[in-house]
Amino acid sequence: MTKSQPLLSLLLFIFISGTISQSIIQLSRDHDVYCNGWRFSVETNDVGYWDHVPSRCVSYVQDYMTGDGYRSDSEVAASYALGFAKTVEIAGDGKDAWVFDVDETLLSNLPYYAVHGFGSEPFDELSFDEWVDLAEAPALQASLNLYKELKQLGFTVFMLTGRSEHQRNATAKNLQLEGYSDWERLILRESSDQGKPATFYKSQRRLELVNEGYRIHGNSGDQWSDLFGFAVSERSFKLPNPLYYIP
Amino acid sequence: MTKSQPLLSLLLFIFISGTISQSIIQLSRDHDVYCNGWRFSVETNDVGYWDHVPSRCVSYVQDYMTGDGYRSDSEVAASYALGFAKTVEIAGDGKDAWVFDVDETLLSNLPYYAVHGFGSEPFDELSFDEWVDLAEAPALQASLNLYKELKQLGFTVFMLTGRSEHQRNATAKNLQLEGYSDWERLILRESSDQGKPATFYKSQRRLELVNEGYRIHGNSGDQWSDLFGFAVSERSFKLPNPLYYIP
């Protein structure tokens, strides 16, 4: 064994480990670029139906949801909602309305999804319903601020959720605990609504509001099915949600 | 002057310049987080009408448009469009249609916007029309690939653009030079369409296609005004565009 062999081995080791870590960094960067594109296509509805986060994007989604990204995107969206709300002339008859979705709009289920794979696991209704019954979902801070500002401006607020009527008490309790108050009505799925696509169920409920004389100026929701359909609002505000899709 | 003074000055200099560069890095990171949120709100239509990129986001938009982001987001969106297209049963009667917008969909005006402030300057029709007349806009590669795949699958392709009838020759020439061929019809604004909001003009034209018996399965465009309205396609594919907004 010559004396140059240990040095050679060391240099080879440095070279190989350098190449490997470079490859890992490049792979991670490629994943981020791809997952940014995936999230773009999710948020613009280009993806259409999807039932789980692609495996290569799970840690990306975790970083987005728990880091600055989700919070900031929600805040910027809320700022545009408020900017529009301030341009609405409130008639004073109580008919100027704003519709909010609940899950991932007023309340965040991030604590639930954090222990259920950040959207990578198939939806489990049983464990999610148990979570709902706890009434422990934190407010989405940007929405809570917007909600309070809208109340100040004189809007009548409706909550229109895909949750079921049997979850009314837990939902109302959770909302109150998190600082929401003075809503006009909390609308949940009745038994006759079960099985309806969310777009249709929510459109029907909005149409009832319109028929009652409400002018729906704004609508905030994390799903396009909160916002599309008929009896749509004057302006819609899509909040981010790379965790799940509701048709 | 004691001998410790030069050392102290050096340490102070290092400390201050370190603090300044830290602040610059933090500011740049804050801008990126904000501008990601702004772009989210632009792409989901939360912003509504806007006429220029916010000054704090101009270099962010430049990086996005000239780096991997724009290319990758376009590719991912096109991959979902193709995935859907492959599920369509082509009847063979030539009536299975796909509608493409032109600017920032089939063709990229990035060379124009690169010398006009990346969306930070107010739109200048005169200089933009001169650019159009050059017929030198490159293809958006992801769209060109999608276009060719759709033709292979048997779709009848329509191009529906906000450009005016007097720009027909330059537009057709540009499209052909960039590799687009065998489209069914290139539809431009006629003089009677001037002043119509894009959503209405494009919906009217799509309705004419529907009335001719075409089944519009897919629609690709970078503006929501390409995709919303009436006679909408079965599935819509929003492409990224943080440069400008067309109502």
Side-chain angles (χ1 to χ4, degrees), chain A residues 29-50:
Chain A
R29 221 187 66 85
D30 289 352
H31 275 223
D32 278 3
V33 170
Y34 173 80
C35 298
N36 270 323
W38 173 77
R39 193 162 61 79
F40 171 86
S41 282
V42 160
E43 297 297 5
T44 55
N45 214 25
D46 287 352
V47 176
Y49 180 80
W50 56 281

Side-chain angles (χ1 to χ4, degrees), chain A residues 29 33-34 36-38 40-41 43-44 46-48 68 72-73 76-77 80 224 228 235-240, chain B residues 29 33-34 36-38 40-41 43-44 46-48 68 72-73 76-77 80 224 228 235-240:
Chain A
R29 221 187 66 85
V33 170
Y34 173 80
N36 270 323
W38 173 77
F40 171 86
S41 282
E43 297 297 5
T44 55
D46 287 352
V47 176
D68 286 337
S72 174
D73 289 1
V76 176
Y80 284 106
W224 286 109
F228 282 171
R235 282 279 298 276
S236 286
F237 298 93
K238 170 77 174 75
L239 291 169
Chain B
R29 223 187 65 85
V33 171
Y34 173 81
N36 269 323
W38 173 77
F40 170 86
S41 283
E43 297 298 5
T44 55
D46 288 352
V47 175
D68 285 337
S72 174
D73 289 1
V76 176
Y80 284 106
W224 286 108
F228 283 169
R235 283 280 297 278
S236 287
F237 298 93
K238 169 77 174 77
L239 292 169

Side-chain angles (χ1 to χ4, degrees), chain B residues 20-247:
Chain B
I20 290 173
S21 51
Q22 275 299 94
S23 305
I24 289 172
I25 290 168
Q26 184 59 40
L27 194 70
S28 156
R29 223 187 65 85
D30 289 352
H31 275 224
D32 278 2
V33 171
Y34 173 81
C35 298
N36 269 323
W38 173 77
R39 192 163 61 81
F40 170 86
S41 283
V42 160
E43 297 298 5
T44 55
N45 214 26
D46 288 352
V47 175
Y49 180 80
W50 57 281
D51 62 4
H52 66 278
V53 172
S55 55
R56 67 188 285 192
C57 295
V58 176
S59 70
Y60 166 92
V61 167
Q62 173 170 0
D63 290 348
Y64 172 76
M65 292 300 296
T66 57
D68 285 337
Y70 179 58
R71 181 193 50 72
S72 174
D73 289 1
S74 306
E75 280 172 7
V76 176
S79 76
Y80 284 106
L82 181 59
F84 162 69
K86 286 178 176 171
T87 70
V88 174
E89 279 200 48
I90 302 292
D93 58 358
K95 295 295 190 185
D96 293 296
W98 198 285
V99 175
F100 280 98
D101 169 54
V102 173
D103 292 300
E104 269 52 68
T105 300
L106 294 179
L107 298 177
S108 167
N109 298 300
L110 191 53
Y112 173 84
Y113 283 96
V115 294
H116 286 85
F118 288 99
S120 61
E121 297 173 11
F123 181 66
D124 177 48
E125 197 169 336
L126 195 68
S127 67
F128 188 76
D129 285 357
E130 284 171 6
W131 158 253
V132 166
D133 286 342
L134 294 176
E136 287 176 2
L140 198 73
Q141 195 58 46
S143 294
L144 180 57
N145 295 344
L146 174 63
Y147 183 99
K148 288 177 175 173
E149 297 263 18
L150 293 177
K151 288 297 303 173
Q152 283 283 337
L153 288 170
F155 282 90
T156 299
V157 174
F158 292 90
M159 296 166 172
L160 177 49
T161 173
R163 292 186 180 189
S164 297
E165 191 59 51
H166 69 86
Q167 295 167 313
R168 176 179 292 281
N169 290 349
T171 304
K173 179 183 163 193
N174 198 158
L175 287 163
Q176 274 158 343
L177 283 171
E178 288 300 311
Y180 295 99
S181 58
D182 299 319
W183 58 82
E184 183 69 17
R185 215 174 294 168
L186 167 61
I187 305 166
L188 304 102
R189 273 185 195 256
E190 296 172 20
S191 53
S192 61
D193 296 316
Q194 301 302 328
K196 287 180 187 168
T199 309
F200 184 63
Y201 151 69
K202 295 201 166 186
S203 294
Q204 280 187 320
R205 288 294 173 277
R206 284 195 306 270
L207 185 58
E208 287 169 14
L209 298 180
V210 170
N211 290 340
E212 289 179 49
Y214 289 103
R215 299 174 291 275
I216 307 178
H217 297 287
N219 187 0
S220 300
D222 62 294
Q223 301 286 327
W224 286 108
S225 54
D226 297 329
L227 309 171
F228 283 169
F230 48 91
V232 296
S233 56
E234 197 181 334
R235 283 280 297 278
S236 287
F237 298 93
K238 169 77 174 77
L239 292 169
N241 188 352
L243 294 171
Y244 57 86
Y245 174 83
I246 296 176

